Amino acid sequence: MREDDVAHVADVADMVHLDYPENPQVFAACFRHYPSGCHVLEGDDGKVAGYLVSHPGRQDRPPVINQPMSGLAEPFDCYFLHDLALGASTRGRGFAGEAVRIALDEAKARGLSRVVLIAVGDAHGFWEKQGFGLLGDGLLDPAKGYGPEARMLVRPI
């Protein structure tokens, strides 16, 4: 990802995550604090068609939806797969699995032993197929804004 991709990433997020909107400042903050965890997927037309936003963090301080991070929560005890979205034209082509591999590799490079994420909507089954399972009971503080069906998932490395 490059800084000028942030607006396009926000556009993809708006199309994919209808029930979980995040303003462009969220993506800009993630890029600013941990650019090596931010990736875009270009479609056949050369435009941003998907993205991965990830970063090291703390399991007890997950990202708050639609709120830009002021910094990375330290000391790190996990690697957050903060957000992954693929536009319709990119689905079913293995890109999501590749994004998970990127996050796993980045976590390993940082010396972290697990990747954590918050599954929303009907994505739980997808994440289970990617090797993620509930972290404890998976429940989140409602103040984080993810909704009652959201669950925190983990995949050991």
Side-chain angles (χ1 to χ4, degrees):
M1 184 185 296
R2 298 180 315 259
E3 192 170 349
D4 59 343
D5 289 327
V6 169
H8 303 293
V9 165
D11 291 341
V12 172
D14 287 345
M15 288 185 288
V16 174
H17 298 310
L18 300 175
D19 295 330
Y20 306 95
E22 292 207 281
N23 66 59
Q25 290 81 17
V26 171
F27 303 110
C30 289
F31 179 75
R32 184 173 53 256
H33 295 299
Y34 200 74
S36 65
C38 299
H39 303 269
V40 295
L41 173 65
E42 290 185 358
D44 296 332
D45 59 2
K47 295 180 181 178
V48 174
Y51 64 86
L52 165 67
V53 174
S54 61
H55 53 80
R58 292 190 50 83
Q59 168 191 317
D60 63 347
R61 288 193 251 159
V64 178
I65 201 160
N66 202 29
Q67 187 174 66
M69 296 186 309
S70 59
L72 298 175
E74 296 187 55
F76 305 137
D77 66 4
C78 68
Y79 192 81
F80 270 104
L81 197 159
H82 186 113
D83 197 3
L84 170 63
L86 297 173
S89 67
T90 64
R91 293 186 193 139
R93 297 169 55 185
F95 295 129
E98 180 62 24
V100 170
R101 282 189 292 282
I102 290 169
L104 292 168
D105 289 346
E106 187 69 26
K108 283 182 204 173
R110 300 267 329 164
L112 298 166
S113 62
R114 60 197 167 148
V115 174
V116 175
L117 61 84
I118 299 170
V120 297
D122 60 357
H124 299 74
F126 166 78
W127 291 114
E128 288 172 5
K129 289 178 186 171
Q130 298 297 320
F132 288 84
L134 284 177
L135 181 60
D137 63 10
L139 297 176
L140 294 160
D141 176 354
K144 301 293 182 196
Y146 289 95
E149 82 294 340
R151 295 293 182 268
M152 190 175 284
L153 305 179
V154 63
R155 177 173 169 176
I157 297 175

